[in-house]
Amino acid sequence: MPDVFARPIDASTRYCAVYGFPVRHSASPAMHNAGLAALGLNWRYLAFAVPPVQLQEALRGAAAMRFVGVNLTVPHKVLAVEMMDVLDASARLWGAVNTVRFEGLRADGHWEPLGQWSAEAEPEQVRMQGFNTDADALVQALQEELGWQAKGSRVLLLGAGGAGRVAALKLAAEGVAQLFLVNRTMEKAAAVAEEIRARYPGCAVTLGYPEGTVDLLVNATSLGLRAEDPLPLDPTRFPLERAGAVYDMIYRPAETPLLARAARAGCRVANGLGMLLYQGTRALEIWSGRPAPVEVMRRALREHVYGG
Ligand SMILES: NC(=O)c1ccc[n+]([C@@H]2O[C@H](COP(=O)([O-])OP(=O)(O)OC[C@H]3O[C@@H](n4cnc5c(N)ncnc54)[C@H](OP(=O)(O)O)[C@@H]3O)[C@@H](O)[C@H]2O)c1
C-alpha cells in the first residue's frame, strides 16, 4: 500500500475532492489518495460537507482555486447538471453528474484538463465539464463480479431513486430484454418505465415482480443499510431461488440480509463495493488522463471500509 503521506504537501500540490451532505461516511478520500500516491502525483483528495444551497458557490470556489476535479455524492448529482459549463455524453444521457473535471483554456483555443497542465502554467479561464461514471461502473461490477451478460437477459430491479433510475436506464441501454421494476413508491417506478419505453423500446419493461426466473436481481434501495431494515423485496412474491445472481448496491455492511439469504438460496452474490471502486477509478482517469491503479485503489477501499 503506498504511503499517502510520503510526499509532503507543498505549494505545488493540486487538489481534488468529494462534495456531499453529509460526507463523513465517504470512503473516496482513502481510495483516491492511495491511487494518487501510486501514480506519483503531487495531488491530494479531500472531502467537504457542502449544503445543497451552496453547491454552486463551492464548485466555483474549486474552479477559482484551480482544483483538478470534484466528485459529487448525495444529494448533489442531479442539482449539478444545471451548473456545468459542458456536459459529457454520459452526464447528458443519465441526467446526473458524479464527476466534475476543471479545464483551462489554452492559447490555441482548446480546453485542457487542469490535471494535465504543468504546475507552472496558469490558465486564465477555467470551465467545468460534468461526467457520470456511476452507470458504467455498475455494469463493469456486474460483469466482473457476477459474470453477468446484459444482452437478452431478464432483470428484476428494486428501487427507483437516483441510483435506481440510472441503473434502470443503463441496463436497458445495455440490451436487457426484460426489466421488472419494483419500488415502494410505484409512481416513481412508473415514471422510470415510461422513460425506458421512450428511449429504449427494445427493452420490455414491466412494473411488479416477474413470474418465473431472472438472470439478475439488483437492489438499488437503501434498505439493508441499517440492521433493523426489512428485506427490500417480498420473498413470498419473489423467492430468491428464482434469481441466478443478486447484486446489492449497498457495501456497508459487507453482507446485507438480502445477500445472506441470496447466498443461502444458491445465487451468485456481490455487494456494491465494486461499483464504488469503478466509479472512482474512472474519475481518476478522467482527471489525470492516465490508467488508474485499480488494485491499489481496491485494497485501500477494502481496508478503509472493512478494516482489511
Ligand atoms: N455502491 C455504490 O457505488 C452506490 C452508488 C449509488 C448508490 N448506492 C446505494 O444505493 C442505494 C440508493 O441510493 P440512491 O442514491 O438511489 O438513494 P435515493 O435516491 O434516496 O433512493 C432511495 C431508494 O430506496 C427506497 N427506500 C428508501 N427507504 C425505504 C423504505 N423504508 N422502504 C422501501 N423502500 C425504501 C426509495 O423508495 P421510494 O422511491 O419509495 O422513496 C428509493 O427507491 C443506497 O443504499 C446507496 O448507498 C451505492
Side-chain angles (χ1 to χ4, degrees):
M1 182 74 66
D3 178 1
V4 300
F5 298 110
R7 183 169 192 159
I9 289 175
D10 60 26
S12 306
T13 305
R14 315 289 305 277
Y15 296 96
C16 20
V18 56
Y19 292 177
F21 197 71
V23 81
R24 277 216 332 244
H25 64 280
S26 176
S28 291
M31 165 173 64
H32 277 282
N33 283 313
L36 296 176
L39 288 179
L41 287 166
N42 185 13
W43 299 4
R44 290 295 192 282
Y45 188 105
L46 311 170
F48 296 107
V50 175
V53 291
Q54 284 169 315
L55 178 61
Q56 181 126 35
E57 280 172 85
L59 286 169
R60 287 200 180 132
M65 291 187 290
R66 306 302 190 240
F67 272 42
V68 168
V70 162
N71 283 136
L72 300 173
T73 184
V74 178
H76 297 319
K77 294 182 191 183
V78 176
L79 278 176
V81 171
E82 296 297 313
M83 299 174 190
M84 297 295 111
D85 300 305
V86 192
L87 291 174
D88 162 80
S90 60
R92 264 200 313 277
L93 207 52
W94 313 124
V97 170
N98 80 326
T99 300
V100 180
R101 183 171 73 188
F102 297 101
E103 301 170 344
L105 186 60
R106 287 284 188 194
D108 65 2
H110 90 273
W111 293 92
E112 186 163 29
L114 290 191
Q116 290 161 48
W117 284 61
S118 70
E120 301 77 46
E122 293 295 346
E124 283 177 20
Q125 268 193 67
V126 172
R127 72 174 189 183
M128 293 184 250
Q129 178 160 192
F131 298 77
N132 187 306
T133 66
D134 285 332
D136 285 350
L138 170 64
V139 168
Q140 187 176 350
L142 293 175
Q143 289 170 342
E144 289 186 7
E145 294 173 17
L146 295 174
W148 176 72
Q149 297 295 326
K151 291 268 177 292
S153 65
R154 284 164 57 89
V155 179
L156 168 57
L157 176 66
L158 312 172
R165 177 185 160 275
V166 170
L169 290 166
K170 177 66 176 174
L171 294 172
E174 288 290 308
V176 165
Q178 287 185 292
L179 184 59
F180 301 89
L181 299 180
V182 170
N183 192 46
R184 173 179 60 179
T185 313
M186 279 312 270
E187 295 77 21
K188 277 164 70 179
V192 172
E194 275 313 301
E195 211 178 335
I196 289 174
R197 287 185 192 113
R199 290 170 65 174
Y200 303 104
C203 175
V205 55
T206 310
L207 297 180
Y209 291 103
E211 300 291 333
T213 61
V214 294
D215 303 294
L216 173 69
L217 182 156
V218 176
N219 177 36
T221 77
S222 40
L223 288 180
L225 284 173
R226 295 172 309 175
E228 65 272 22
D229 282 345
L231 282 177
L233 89 171
D234 178 350
T236 64
R237 299 185 60 196
F238 187 82
L240 287 164
E241 287 74 12
R242 289 209 241 135
V246 175
Y247 191 81
D248 198 331
M249 285 196 193
I250 293 171
Y251 54 85
R252 207 170 0 211
E255 188 181 57
T256 58
L258 173 69
L259 289 184
R261 242 175 127 131
R264 283 199 300 275
C267 312
R268 304 188 308 285
V269 294
N271 74 17
L273 203 75
M275 181 178 172
L276 180 67
L277 170 69
Y278 296 130
Q279 64 74 33
T281 57
R282 283 165 188 256
L284 184 50
E285 289 172 354
I286 285 169
W287 296 330
S288 68
R290 295 169 56 181
V294 178
E295 293 314 315
V296 168
M297 294 171 76
R298 190 194 306 275
R299 274 203 306 280
L301 195 54
R302 291 196 71 83
E303 198 163 287
H304 180 84
V305 177
Y306 304 129

